[in-house]
Amino acid sequence: MHIPDGFLEPEVWAPLTAVSASAIAYASKKVSKNLDERKVPLMGVIAAFVFAAQMVNFPIGGGTSGHLMGGVLIATIMGPFAALLMISTVLIIQALLFQDGGITALGANIFNMGIVGAGLGYLTFKGLNSVTGNLNFAVFTASWLSVVTAAGIAAAELSISGVIPLTVSLPAMTGVHAIIGIGEGAITIAALGLISGVSVDVFYGVQTVKVQRRPIPWILLAVSMSVALFIAPFASEFPDGLERVAESLGFLERGTPKVTSPLPDYQIPGLSGGISTSMAGVVGVLVTFGLAYMIIKMLRRRHR
Amino acid sequence: MFDPTYIDSYSNIDAPYQRLDARGKIIVTLAFVVIMAVSVNDRPLRVIPFSLHVIFLAAISRLSPKVLLRRMLPALPFFLFASLALGFSKGSHAAVAAFLKAFFSVLSVIILVSTTRFSNLLKGLEGLNLPTILVSMIFFVYRYLFIIADEYGHIKIARESRNFSGSKRWQWKAIGHSVGTLFLHSYERGDRVYSAMVARGYEGNIRTLGIQAITRADIIFVAISVIYLLSAGLISWKLL
Amino acid sequence: METVIEIKNLTYLYPIGNKALDNLNLSVSQGERVAVVGPNGAGKSTFILHLNGILNGDGHITVMGMTMEKGNLPKIRQKVGIVFQDPDHQLFSPTVFDDVAFGPVNLGFSEKEVKDRVREALEEVGLSGFEERLPHRLSFGEKRRVSIASVLSMSPSILVLDEPSSSLDPRSRRELITLLKGFDITQIIVTHDLEMALELCKRVVVMDRGAVVADGNISEILGNEALMLEHGLEVPHSIRFTHFHTHDHEGEADKHCHTHCHPHPETHEHKERI
Amino acid sequence: METVIEIKNLTYLYPIGNKALDNLNLSVSQGERVAVVGPNGAGKSTFILHLNGILNGDGHITVMGMTMEKGNLPKIRQKVGIVFQDPDHQLFSPTVFDDVAFGPVNLGFSEKEVKDRVREALEEVGLSGFEERLPHRLSFGEKRRVSIASVLSMSPSILVLDEPSSSLDPRSRRELITLLKGFDITQIIVTHDLEMALELCKRVVVMDRGAVVADGNISEILGNEALMLEHGLEVPHSIRFTHFHTHDHEGEADKHCHTHCHPHPETHEHKERI
Ligand SMILES: Nc1ncnc2c1ncn2[C@@H]1O[C@H](COP(=O)(O)OP(=O)(O)OP(=O)(O)O)[C@@H](O)[C@H]1O
Ligand SMILES: Nc1ncnc2c1ncn2[C@@H]1O[C@H](COP(=O)(O)OP(=O)(O)OP(=O)(O)O)[C@@H](O)[C@H]1O
Ligand SMILES: [Mg+2]
Ligand SMILES: [Mg+2]
């Protein structure tokens, strides 16, 4: 999911860079103020952990394996702002030192994995946990959703830039990641279970949310996200099995450059239609995200 | 991928480019990547003046093409496939242009990090107003990356040694437990590193030994590069 | 005695290029307890990782009659139990029970069998009743015992330990020695703790630069000052003192000296050959 | 001799509730080299973290005449150099130079002064020329030396080392001992390596359960079998052998035995008091 330089149009990466830069600036201020700033080394070493965790491979069946994203994992432990900083740090290092993800695409990658993956994932976790009171369910759903959403948004960005039409890339990306997401969810649950067994104070901010009494927006958010990103594309024109999609577009998963068939052999739909669909998709996700952000702000004010 | 030596291995070559200030190099690299990204569009020919700039930098940093290519190798397959996909939707020109853009952007970043000591690079980023906390975190990730990745390697070996297999569910659970363990180790390590730093007079921000001075050479380099890149963008926009 | 491990011309290069093992030859018999010593970076840990196919260098390895190859790995890993140097790298489960059960579960035993094995293994290392404890909240010595139990639960025929005594306090170290003395399976003990090696093993293998530079009777080899100095080692106190007295009061020698302290010619020859 | 460290009734509870230090008392004189020994979990490392105010328990600590309090911390940290057990926790900079320079830079020295100090410190540990090496690519023994250099560069008056010899091969351990013997500043050496303690120190402090249970002449205390066994320790070989001969040939005693091996009454009294 690390988008390199050269494939995104400026219309896509420029605004996303602005969004990500502001988010980082805000999170930096927030973290410097709230967390003990003298504990920067601790944050740094844990960011190195995030880097290592993203290299963790797990089997997803059919002889293939997925990579952990770790967004929800780290956000539930360290909080969404610290998590955003950690993931951004990791992405910067990956771009600078490992040629994994581009410089102009850095804003987009931070947006996909840090803001959407960790931030939105964290909101989902917090919401579902307060609604259902079922920690594992909340963790699992949030992890799954964060992976699928991040993949979906990456697909949308690529399709707006004309690389792959959304009608192809969205089902492919979300399809593969719907499976990877199950692994992500299961692993996140197990990891958090072990960590919380040792130290008590793991779930950042869960206590405050538990008393929260307005569950409906969260359910709506979760359901609409799942429908928008997962079910809808499948209901459309490509009922191919997930296996097939995973195979044909496997190259979108980093670390698996051995794929043989780069393109599916079906007709590629007209460009204009593709762009309008993908535009709609991205706008939808952005609006949802904005909504979620406002909601969490409101909640926060109530609990101060 | 996990050989830490390669990161700083070419920063000690005594060549003109290595002697320049990190901030100037970062600005020029950013200008290069951004201006190229904005001006090339779907025209492969427009990449030519930009490629000349990168080749010039490679020359004044005395990096051998072999070294550069080897470092780029892991990224290439993705570029190929993505441009192929682009080729189907937007045509071969767009595909070639995208590939070249990706190629030269990566090349410029590789030249930047190969010719700048990582600590100077960080000082440069800080000098360019990246939030201090982020710069410090990059510093620690860089320092602990290999150590923590190695640690996961050890856990993995211990797992394999005991015949790790079984159902997917069981494997996911065991992997999750390994990740949790790795987190606890990292946390404890972070705690102790903090103690070690405090013990040597650390009081909240990393101090460095005098930032590199910006000389006239730096200013000339940045000015000429930016002017060249801008005009390359504009002229190729008109002509190619 | 039957040969259980046979290694011929084993060479291994780490991907970044340093030759960690260089034409290593070794064979170990059934029931032997062998110490492996050598300076930091000699290749001891690298060697150990070959014994169950985690690393795969050039050369020929046979374990209990099975050639080291992909198809045999599960069986070999069941036979060879490796206790790594750092227990924190070995223990990754939420409870002691889970960790000790990890091997047996992977081997596909029934639930009852798994439970029995865990109980027995914990008993053997003296940790009965620790099943529900968190591995992270144990003392270093206890962690080491859990690591050993987590390997014993697979009933290995060959137990390999990488520097088992480091960072242990003297009491825990003593308990470890007693524990290992109690097992009669084949054991390979990699260590910098030459006193412990002397107490536990009759045979020592000295490694340096990836090869075996001496192999034979432990008190002869560890008592050979020139050899020890050449390979970053030291004649252990217990030999040095005995040695000293051997010369001082010839008649008393046998009383304190269990070992023959003059370098054995074979050792020298061995050293020069490699 | 002048007292440089004075600790009275020091008690420390970790946040999760375990009492790691329990009414600890200790004073150390200028130029002394003191060994601190005790079982795993005795509180040795916790104690060390109090010597420069990283932890802050109840009780009274004075270092070189300065009371341990916030205002004095920078000065105290300059005086007390701590080498932590794991070099990977101590070395966090991209190059050896940066790491050794970290302390002096924080102390606000000029660039020239910093460079001079780094050069000198590296020279002292025998690592001149390692300035540009990456700390994580050094051998374990070299890492340990860099840790020591990174503390020496602050010119501490008191050097505190936490288990400096663990995981070192015998040669590196020997080099470490020579190095430490060469310094004439006050040294506190926490270790499980009783032989090293014997070689380096005249005085030993035995800790258990967060308190000092014995304090005095090292060969008397380490030779006291009952005391050693009670606190998870062991009489070191070099004493045991000497001791043995002391009884066998009374006349020879002085030749091999530098130490008086019978328990000192004061030690016992000490032990029972606590
Ligand atoms: N993962 C690795 N990658 C590259 N080189 C390695 C790696 N691990 C070890 N080495 C190198 O291989 C050689 C042998 O290392 P090994 O860990 O086997 O030594 P050892 O005998 O176990 O030393 P020690 O007593 O310090 O544990 C050393 O030179 C070491 O630097
Ligand atoms: N960060 C911590 N949080 C809670 N308890 C701790 C922490 N660090 C140590 N302890 C506990 O405090 C006690 C003393 O620990 P300490 O590390 O000081 O022992 P030590 O004497 O250094 O042992 P070792 O010889 O194993 O290094 C132990 O019971 C330990 O479990
Ligand atoms: Mg080793
Ligand atoms: Mg300790």
Side-chain angles (χ1 to χ4, degrees):
Chain A
M1 272 193 288
H2 291 47
I3 303 173
D5 279 321
F7 294 94
L8 291 184
E9 292 292 337
E11 294 85 331
V12 177
W13 60 256
L16 288 178
T17 302
V19 171
S20 295
S22 335
I24 288 178
Y26 182 74
S28 301
K29 245 173 67 191
K30 196 88 186 159
V31 168
S32 307
K33 203 170 65 191
N34 282 8
L35 290 184
D36 186 355
E37 196 197 348
R38 306 188 328 137
K39 295 235 163 173
V40 171
L42 182 66
M43 300 257 308
V45 177
I46 295 175
F49 157 78
V50 174
F51 191 108
Q54 290 195 348
M55 295 177 19
V56 170
N57 256 315
F58 55 87
I60 56 169
T64 45
S65 58
H67 284 279
L68 205 62
M69 189 169 81
V72 171
L73 174 65
I74 204 62
T76 43
I77 306 173
M78 303 300 295
F81 298 109
L84 173 62
L85 291 185
M86 287 171 183
I87 289 171
S88 307
T89 307
V90 168
L91 287 168
I92 291 172
I93 292 256
Q94 283 166 339
L96 283 180
L97 301 184
F98 299 102
Q99 286 71 57
D100 195 3
I103 300 295
T104 53
L106 191 58
N109 285 327
I110 290 176
F111 181 83
N112 300 348
M113 275 171 271
I115 299 181
V116 174
L120 204 59
Y122 177 73
L123 291 182
T124 315
F125 159 72
K126 224 168 148 183
L128 286 178
N129 185 50
S130 69
V131 175
T132 62
N134 186 335
L135 207 67
N136 282 354
F137 172 74
V139 168
F140 182 87
T141 314
S143 307
W144 183 84
L145 209 63
S146 75
V147 170
V148 174
T149 318
I153 291 193
E157 288 160 2
L158 285 169
S159 90
I160 296 180
S161 305
V163 180
I164 309 168
L166 196 65
T167 40
V168 179
S169 63
L170 191 61
M173 286 287 272
T174 51
V176 176
H177 286 88
I179 305 174
I180 294 181
I182 297 174
E184 173 100 12
I187 288 172
T188 307
I189 288 181
L192 288 176
L194 186 136
I195 295 165
S196 61
V198 175
S199 56
V200 242
D201 214 12
V202 173
F203 296 95
Y204 175 96
V206 170
Q207 273 74 10
T208 37
V209 182
K210 266 185 181 146
V211 286
Q212 182 341 79
R213 258 182 224 142
R214 282 215 183 144
I216 296 126
W218 297 110
I219 297 174
L220 283 181
L221 177 69
V223 171
S224 63
M225 290 296 295
S226 333
V227 169
L229 284 156
F230 185 47
I231 302 167
F234 277 97
S236 66
E237 20 194 322
F238 297 102
D240 296 22
L242 294 180
E243 291 294 88
R244 157 81 183 272
V245 180
E247 206 179 63
S248 56
L249 280 164
F251 68 90
L252 287 174
E253 193 51 39
R254 79 190 164 102
T256 46
K258 51 186 178 294
V259 173
T260 43
S261 117
L263 259 194
D265 48 354
Y266 35 65
Q267 185 100 42
I268 287 154
L271 201 60
S272 53
I275 284 189
S276 63
T277 319
S278 42
M279 273 298 209
V282 170
V283 169
V285 171
L286 285 180
V287 168
T288 326
F289 175 70
L291 208 71
Y293 182 75
M294 267 154 48
I295 291 167
I296 197 68
K297 264 226 127 130
M298 260 159 50
L299 289 179
R300 185 103 57 42
R301 213 168 302 132
R302 289 165 58 91
H303 286 289
R304 280 275 163 77
Chain B
M1 178 180 184
F2 276 93
D3 171 13
T5 46
Y6 91 152
I7 291 177
D8 264 340
S9 48
Y10 302 101
S11 53
N12 295 327
I13 300 175
D14 187 31
Y17 196 48
Q18 272 80 339
R19 285 194 288 265
L20 291 175
D21 184 84
R23 281 166 290 184
K25 291 199 264 183
I26 296 172
I27 291 174
V28 169
T29 307
L30 275 179
F32 174 85
V33 173
V34 170
I35 295 174
M36 181 169 69
V38 179
S39 59
V40 168
N41 270 354
D42 296 344
R43 310 280 179 80
L45 283 183
R46 288 183 185 170
V47 177
I48 293 172
F50 293 99
S51 67
L52 291 178
H53 188 259
V54 176
I55 290 166
F56 172 70
L57 293 188
I60 61 170
S61 54
R62 298 201 193 124
L63 292 171
S64 79
K66 213 175 106 196
V67 164
L68 292 174
L69 282 175
R70 200 173 55 216
R71 222 157 135 168
M72 195 169 334
L73 219 54
L76 286 182
F78 186 96
F79 295 174
L80 278 174
F81 286 121
S83 9
L84 218 55
L86 195 65
F88 279 94
S89 52
K90 275 171 118 181
S92 57
H93 282 236
V96 173
F99 180 84
L100 291 177
K101 270 191 282 181
F103 185 89
F104 285 109
S105 298
V106 164
L107 198 55
S108 70
V109 173
I110 292 177
I111 292 175
L112 170 69
V113 296
S114 306
T115 59
T116 317
R117 288 171 48 90
F118 198 73
S119 43
N120 288 340
L121 198 63
L122 286 180
K123 284 174 206 162
L125 288 175
E126 197 168 20
L128 294 171
N129 281 329
L130 215 64
T132 316
I133 184 169
L134 202 63
V135 175
S136 313
M137 282 168 66
I138 295 175
F139 169 84
F140 280 103
V141 172
Y142 167 70
R143 176 66 187 87
Y144 281 97
L145 173 62
F146 303 105
I147 291 170
I148 291 179
D150 269 1
E151 202 151 314
Y152 187 73
H154 291 303
I155 294 178
K156 217 163 119 182
I157 285 175
R159 230 165 48 197
E160 296 303 326
S161 295
R162 286 190 269 158
N163 267 323
F164 188 46
S165 56
S167 74
K168 214 182 292 165
R169 230 185 115 107
W170 154 255
Q171 291 195 32
W172 285 344
K173 199 170 123 188
I175 292 173
H177 289 152
S178 317
V179 171
T181 301
L182 189 68
F183 174 82
L184 292 176
H185 292 174
S186 311
Y187 194 95
E188 281 159 14
R189 190 187 287 277
D191 232 19
R192 277 179 237 133
V193 167
Y194 171 65
S195 300
M197 292 178 72
V198 166
R200 287 195 272 154
Y202 171 78
E203 278 164 348
N205 41 8
I206 295 173
R207 293 207 221 172
T208 50
L209 199 57
I211 190 153
Q212 277 179 286
I214 293 186
T215 61
R216 195 179 302 153
D218 292 306
I219 296 171
I220 293 174
F221 166 68
V222 174
I224 292 186
S225 292
V226 172
I227 291 170
Y228 172 78
L229 290 169
L230 280 176
S231 32
L234 285 175
I235 293 170
S236 64
W237 191 277
K238 285 265 189 241
L239 299 184
L240 299 168
Chain C
M1 266 180 298
E2 201 191 333
T3 300
V4 290
I5 296 179
E6 180 78 59
I7 296 170
K8 280 192 190 133
N9 305 325
L10 183 62
T11 296
Y12 183 77
L13 272 82
Y14 276 103
I16 53 170
N18 39 350
K19 215 176 216 176
L21 295 180
D22 188 2
N23 210 9
L24 183 137
N25 288 284
L26 188 71
S27 74
V28 177
S29 306
Q30 171 70 41
E32 249 189 324
R33 207 186 280 131
V34 183
V36 177
V37 304
N40 291 125
K44 305 182 296 296
S45 303
T46 310
F47 157 62
I48 278 187
L49 290 176
H50 280 85
L51 291 179
N52 69 354
I54 294 277
L55 293 183
N56 191 8
D58 285 341
H60 193 77
I61 305 181
T62 326
V63 174
M64 305 188 78
M66 294 175 283
T67 310
M68 188 65 69
E69 56 188 30
K70 197 144 194 212
N72 287 331
L73 282 189
K75 249 187 266 165
I76 290 178
R77 287 184 182 159
Q78 182 177 357
K79 297 287 179 202
V80 182
I82 301 188
V83 178
F84 294 97
Q85 179 176 10
D86 190 342
D88 279 336
H89 294 156
Q90 182 140 7
L91 307 177
F92 50 81
S93 305
T95 67
V96 169
F97 178 89
D98 288 337
D99 225 302
V100 181
F102 187 86
V105 168
N106 279 320
L107 293 179
F109 288 112
S110 72
E111 194 173 328
K112 187 181 163 321
E113 174 82 22
V114 169
K115 281 186 178 154
D116 285 349
R117 280 171 172 256
V118 172
R119 194 173 32 69
E120 276 165 32
L122 285 177
E123 217 170 273
E124 261 181 304
V125 298
L127 288 185
S128 299
F130 274 61
E131 283 83 352
E132 295 309 315
R133 295 280 294 273
L134 310 177
H136 277 274
R137 285 284 165 80
L138 297 175
S139 84
F140 200 92
E142 287 162 350
K143 282 185 190 174
R144 176 80 71 203
R145 283 154 183 261
V146 177
S147 312
I148 296 176
S150 71
V151 161
L152 289 182
S153 63
M154 301 175 75
S155 327
S157 312
I158 302 168
L159 184 61
V160 183
L161 302 109
D162 198 352
E163 305 193 4
S165 67
S166 79
S167 299
L168 287 187
D169 64 32
R171 179 194 305 166
S172 315
R173 173 176 168 279
R174 172 68 35 211
E175 287 169 349
L176 174 79
I177 292 176
T178 315
L179 183 70
L180 295 182
K181 265 191 183 152
F183 300 143
D184 51 8
I185 51 179
T186 313
Q187 290 172 45
I188 296 182
I189 302 169
V190 172
T191 189
H192 290 307
D193 181 348
L194 304 183
E195 299 287 355
M196 182 183 73
L198 264 174
E199 279 193 59
L200 279 172
C201 307
K202 290 205 188 70
R203 174 179 168 199
V204 72
V205 171
V206 182
M207 279 184 69
D208 201 357
R209 294 159 201 252
V212 173
V213 293
D215 180 351
N217 179 291
I218 193 163
S219 39
E220 282 167 19
I221 289 179
L222 298 191
N224 180 341
E225 183 131 21
L227 182 74
M228 291 295 98
L229 288 184
E230 191 178 338
H231 299 294
L233 301 166
E234 235 180 24
V235 177
H237 263 292
S238 48
I239 294 191
R240 189 182 297 278
F241 271 78
T242 328
H243 183 73
F244 187 55
H245 287 284
T246 316
H247 288 276
D248 257 22
H249 332 267
E250 210 57 53
E252 291 260 321
D254 287 341
K255 197 164 164 192
H256 317 299
C257 185
H258 319 277
T259 60
H260 179 59
C261 306
H262 300 285
H264 194 284
E266 197 202 297
T267 313
H268 271 294
E269 184 198 292
H270 219 307
K271 200 181 76 197
E272 272 143 32
R273 188 150 39 85
I274 292 167
Chain D
M1 266 182 296
E2 202 192 332
T3 301
V4 290
I5 296 180
E6 181 80 58
I7 296 170
K8 281 191 189 135
N9 306 323
L10 184 63
T11 296
Y12 182 77
L13 273 80
Y14 274 103
I16 54 169
N18 41 349
K19 213 177 215 174
L21 295 179
D22 189 2
N23 210 10
L24 182 138
N25 288 285
L26 188 71
S27 75
V28 177
S29 305
Q30 172 70 42
E32 247 186 327
R33 207 186 280 131
V34 183
V36 176
V37 302
N40 291 125
K44 304 182 296 297
S45 301
T46 310
F47 156 62
I48 277 185
L49 291 176
H50 279 85
L51 292 179
N52 67 357
I54 291 175
L55 294 182
N56 192 8
D58 286 342
H60 193 77
I61 305 181
T62 326
V63 174
M64 305 189 79
M66 295 175 282
T67 311
M68 189 66 69
E69 57 188 31
K70 198 146 187 185
N72 286 333
L73 282 189
K75 249 187 267 166
I76 291 179
R77 288 186 181 149
Q78 182 176 356
K79 297 286 179 203
V80 182
I82 301 187
V83 178
F84 292 96
Q85 180 176 10
D86 189 342
D88 277 335
H89 296 153
Q90 179 139 8
L91 307 177
F92 41 74
S93 307
T95 67
V96 169
F97 177 90
D98 289 339
D99 222 299
V100 180
F102 187 86
V105 167
N106 277 319
L107 293 178
F109 287 112
S110 74
E111 192 170 331
K112 186 180 165 323
E113 174 85 20
V114 169
K115 284 187 177 155
D116 285 349
R117 278 168 175 259
V118 172
R119 194 174 32 70
E120 276 164 33
L122 286 177
E123 217 170 272
E124 260 180 306
V125 298
L127 286 185
S128 298
F130 275 61
E131 284 84 351
E132 297 306 319
R133 295 282 293 271
L134 311 178
H136 53 259
R137 301 294 291 188
L138 298 175
S139 88
F140 200 93
E142 287 161 351
K143 281 186 192 175
R144 177 79 70 204
R145 283 153 185 260
V146 177
S147 312
I148 296 175
S150 70
V151 161
L152 289 183
S153 63
M154 301 175 75
S155 327
S157 312
I158 302 168
L159 183 61
V160 183
L161 302 110
D162 199 350
E163 305 193 4
S165 67
S166 79
S167 299
L168 288 187
D169 64 33
R171 179 193 306 167
S172 314
R173 172 176 167 279
R174 174 67 36 209
E175 288 169 348
L176 175 78
I177 293 176
T178 314
L179 182 71
L180 295 181
K181 264 192 182 152
F183 299 145
D184 50 7
I185 52 179
T186 313
Q187 290 172 45
I188 296 181
I189 302 169
V190 172
T191 189
H192 291 306
D193 181 349
L194 303 182
E195 299 287 354
M196 181 182 74
L198 264 174
E199 278 193 59
L200 279 172
C201 306
K202 291 204 187 71
R203 174 180 168 199
V204 72
V205 170
V206 182
M207 279 185 69
D208 201 357
R209 294 159 202 255
V212 173
V213 293
D215 180 350
N217 180 291
I218 192 163
S219 39
E220 282 168 17
I221 290 179
L222 297 192
N224 179 341
E225 183 131 18
L227 182 74
M228 291 295 97
L229 286 184
E230 192 179 337
H231 299 293
L233 302 167
E234 232 179 27
V235 177
H237 263 292
S238 47
I239 294 190
R240 188 183 297 277
F241 271 78
T242 328
H243 183 74
F244 187 57
H245 286 282
T246 316
H247 289 274
D248 257 22
H249 333 264
E250 211 58 52
E252 291 260 320
D254 288 342
K255 197 164 165 193
H256 316 300
C257 184
H258 320 277
T259 60
H260 180 60
C261 308
H262 299 287
H264 194 283
E266 198 202 296
T267 314
H268 270 294
E269 184 198 291
H270 219 307
K271 201 183 70 194
E272 271 143 34
R273 190 151 39 85
I274 293 167

